[in-house]
Amino acid sequence: GENVEQHPSTLSVQEGDSAVIKCTYSDSASNYFPWYKQELGKGPQLIIDIRSNVGEKKDQRIAVTLNKTAKHFSLHITETQPEDSAVYFCAAKGSQGNLIFGKGTKLSVKP
Amino acid sequence: EAGVAQSPRYKIIEKRQSVAFWCNPISGHATLYWYQQILGQGPKLLIQFQNNGVVDDSQLPKDRFSAERLKGVDSTLKIQPAKLEDSAVYLCASRILRGGPIYNEQFFGPGTRLTVL
């Protein structure tokens, strides 16, 4: 079945450093890849997304890259701040328009 | 614009009891999803509605879970009877049917945290 693998499961960085989270997907027909940030006690919130006709997208300190051939996509956060600490989920759009989520990465940014 | 509303926020029940969750999506969003998020994992789709019709319920444990969206707006998810392994956060999300740059985006509610003892 459709599957999304996400690594690492936990990531600790110093404030100001960069953080990279990587995902792979199994369904070559997937054409939409969002990234969600989930803070404690809240629902996931979209932070950036990318469609399969684009290789890279950037929004201020956040960027996402997509390699369709390898079925990889990655989230890059530069100049990390303590408020970036949260759980981040990657996802891929499934055949029915639903989202298949990775297991999440707990990012800790130390001041 | 109001977001996706869910209630209750927390629920504690004994196993074999019944429980129901309510979701009110963003106004005008035709597509509604229920996800189950077990601690330490990503959300897993339970059921997807488009208006009041079911699009995908292949991962819904139909012997104990049921969901409805009678008027194509609010939705309820019910578990009867609950098992220990149903302890999770139940998330509702909605999406506009078509049109514009936010077509793909799913907007999530805060979730209902269920504990089954």
Side-chain angles (χ1 to χ4, degrees):
Chain A
E2 300 161 327
N3 188 46
V4 174
E5 298 283 341
Q6 182 172 349
H7 299 280
S9 56
T10 60
L11 180 59
S12 182
V13 299
Q14 208 66 35
E15 182 177 0
D17 287 350
S18 295
V20 180
I21 304 170
K22 298 182 179 182
C23 290
T24 59
Y25 60 98
S26 61
D27 186 359
S28 56
S30 292
N31 62 4
Y32 173 68
F33 307 91
W35 286 88
Y36 283 85
K37 176 182 180 182
Q38 188 172 28
E39 296 175 320
L40 201 61
K42 296 184 179 180
Q45 182 179 13
L46 181 74
I47 55 170
I48 195 167
D49 56 12
I50 191 168
R51 293 181 61 88
S52 58
N53 58 349
V54 175
E56 184 173 357
K57 183 176 178 181
K58 188 173 181 180
D59 182 4
Q60 298 182 19
R61 297 185 297 110
I62 296 173
V64 57
T65 58
L66 172 65
N67 182 329
K68 284 175 55 181
T69 303
K71 292 191 279 188
H72 289 173
F73 58 115
S74 300
L75 177 71
H76 304 253
I77 306 175
T78 58
E79 300 172 25
T80 54
Q81 301 166 5
E83 51 265 38
D84 294 330
S85 295
V87 179
Y88 291 81
F89 292 96
C90 63
K93 188 176 178 182
S95 56
Q96 296 279 8
N98 58 308
L99 293 178
I100 314 298
F101 284 84
K103 290 190 174 181
T105 296
K106 184 176 181 180
L107 174 64
S108 300
V109 180
K110 298 180 179 179
Chain B
E1 179 183 77
V4 176
Q6 289 189 248
S7 67
R9 292 296 314 276
Y10 306 92
K11 190 74 177 178
I12 299 174
I13 62 173
E14 300 279 335
K15 60 182 179 184
R16 290 187 290 274
Q17 285 187 324
S18 301
V19 65
F21 313 126
W22 173 82
C23 172
N24 182 245
I26 293 172
S27 177
H29 282 199
T31 307
L32 184 147
Y33 307 83
W34 282 102
Y35 289 88
Q36 180 191 58
Q37 185 176 23
I38 292 173
L39 187 64
Q41 297 185 21
K44 185 188 85 170
L45 181 71
L46 292 174
I47 189 166
Q48 176 184 346
F49 291 95
Q50 185 167 302
N51 296 309
N52 60 348
V54 175
V55 173
D56 182 4
D57 64 356
S58 57
Q59 298 191 77
L60 187 73
K62 298 180 187 66
D63 57 334
R64 298 183 301 105
F65 286 65
S66 64
E68 60 183 12
R69 193 184 184 200
L70 292 176
K71 296 183 179 180
V73 181
D74 294 7
S75 177
T76 55
L77 176 69
K78 296 179 182 178
I79 307 175
Q80 180 180 10
K83 292 185 175 181
L84 296 177
E85 57 262 36
D86 298 332
S87 293
V89 174
Y90 290 85
L91 293 162
C92 179
S94 70
R95 178 173 69 89
I96 198 166
L97 181 58
R98 61 173 60 87
I102 62 167
Y103 164 63
N104 281 302
E105 182 176 355
Q106 293 187 23
F107 295 82
F108 283 82
T112 296
R113 180 175 296 278
L114 173 67
T115 302
V116 182
L117 303 175

